[in-house]
Amino acid sequence: MKRFVTVLLAVAVGWLWATAPLAQEDMETVPNDAFTSPQRPPAVFVHDAHNEAAGIDECNRCHHVYREGQLVPDESSEDYRCSDCHAETAADDGMPALMGAFHGNCKQCHLELENGPVMCGECHQRP
Ligand code: HEC
Ligand code: HEC
Ligand code: HEC
Ligand code: HEC
């Protein structure tokens, strides 16, 4: 009986481990699993360290919420993946498709601030 319980426990812990979402403090690259067949290595992004070095205080600078086409200043969507709202292929509703959403967020800010990588291989680094 004791052995059975131990095995059950090991299975339960293993299951939790395998299905637990990646916490942002452990994130080192932006996951590319929402793309059907990724062409590039996932982009380097050490979530918390990046945001601290870049001095970004507002989570919704990236995890934004729009309502009726307007950005909602005090809300954030960090419980959602970007891909929950941005589809892989563009629709004709003006919503950026997923790759464009990432590039429009990451690369655009680096260009505007003239700080942070803008070359493909600087973000999509071969491991
Ligand atoms: C500032 C960082 C950054 C730069 C610079 C950048 N990307 Fe990306 N790119 C991303 C992120 C983040 C994603 C989302 C998925 C991931 O992590 O790869 C992405 C996704 C993609 C995807 C879709 C997923 C895939 O692997 O097929 C392609 C293709 C891509 N980028 C190509 C490029 C090319 C080509 C360039 C240079 C012209 C480039 N990227 C420059 C950050 C960047
Ligand atoms: C510079 C952009 C940026 C900022 C600022 C930012 N995040 Fe994120 N965060 C991301 C990206 C990109 C992902 C990956 C999203 C995806 O996989 O679709 C992510 C993922 C997450 C996740 C989900 C982890 C997972 O397993 O999917 C959480 C939770 C999160 N962020 C919380 C926060 C909180 C809290 C803040 C503010 C303290 C914050 N983020 C600020 C870009 C940012
Ligand atoms: C809850 C839904 C939702 C989530 C989650 C979401 N977006 Fe968006 N995003 C939108 C909507 C709606 C628009 C506005 C389209 C329009 O202009 O009408 C938008 C616009 C954008 C734009 C263009 C305008 C701008 O603000 O620069 C970029 C870039 C973008 N999203 C990137 C991202 C990234 C990167 C993530 C994940 C970190 C993300 N989005 C998560 C709904 C979402
Ligand atoms: C609001 C502006 C902003 C956004 C959005 C942003 N970055 Fe950055 N990023 C910066 C700044 C500023 C730096 C330089 C920070 C420093 O001085 O170290 C930087 C540096 C980097 C670096 C090099 C340093 C490091 O942390 O390895 C990488 C890689 C990077 N960003 C990837 C990304 C990716 C991927 C995204 C989108 C998921 C993103 N950034 C979104 C502002 C931004």
Side-chain angles (χ1 to χ4, degrees):
M1 180 60 188
K2 206 171 155 195
R3 203 166 141 212
F4 176 70
V5 170
T6 310
V7 168
L8 213 69
L9 211 78
V11 169
V13 168
W15 180 79
L16 276 175
W17 182 254
T19 55
L22 184 74
Q24 79 268 24
E25 58 263 32
D26 300 327
M27 182 178 288
E28 296 185 352
T29 55
V30 176
N32 62 1
D33 58 327
F35 293 91
T36 314
S37 49
Q39 306 297 304
R40 300 263 166 174
V44 174
F45 183 64
V46 186
H47 191 282
D48 288 3
H50 171 278
N51 296 342
E52 207 179 311
I56 313 170
D57 298 326
E58 305 292 340
C59 305
N60 66 3
R61 175 63 181 82
C62 302
H63 300 286
H64 52 209
V65 175
Y66 281 85
R67 204 162 287 129
E68 289 162 6
Q70 300 297 314
L71 195 62
V72 185
D74 299 326
E75 287 179 33
S76 72
S77 58
E78 72 253 17
D79 296 338
Y80 294 86
R81 306 283 309 266
C82 308
S83 56
D84 289 335
C85 298
H86 294 276
E88 192 173 357
T89 40
D92 48 11
D93 56 2
M95 182 84 169
L98 190 57
M99 185 178 76
F102 281 117
H103 290 160
N105 177 255
C106 313
K107 215 157 90 175
Q108 196 57 40
C109 179
H110 296 167
L111 284 168
E112 279 165 15
L113 297 180
E114 295 182 22
N115 197 359
V118 295
M119 306 284 282
C120 316
E122 292 177 297
C123 285
H124 298 286
Q125 289 176 28
R126 305 244 159 251

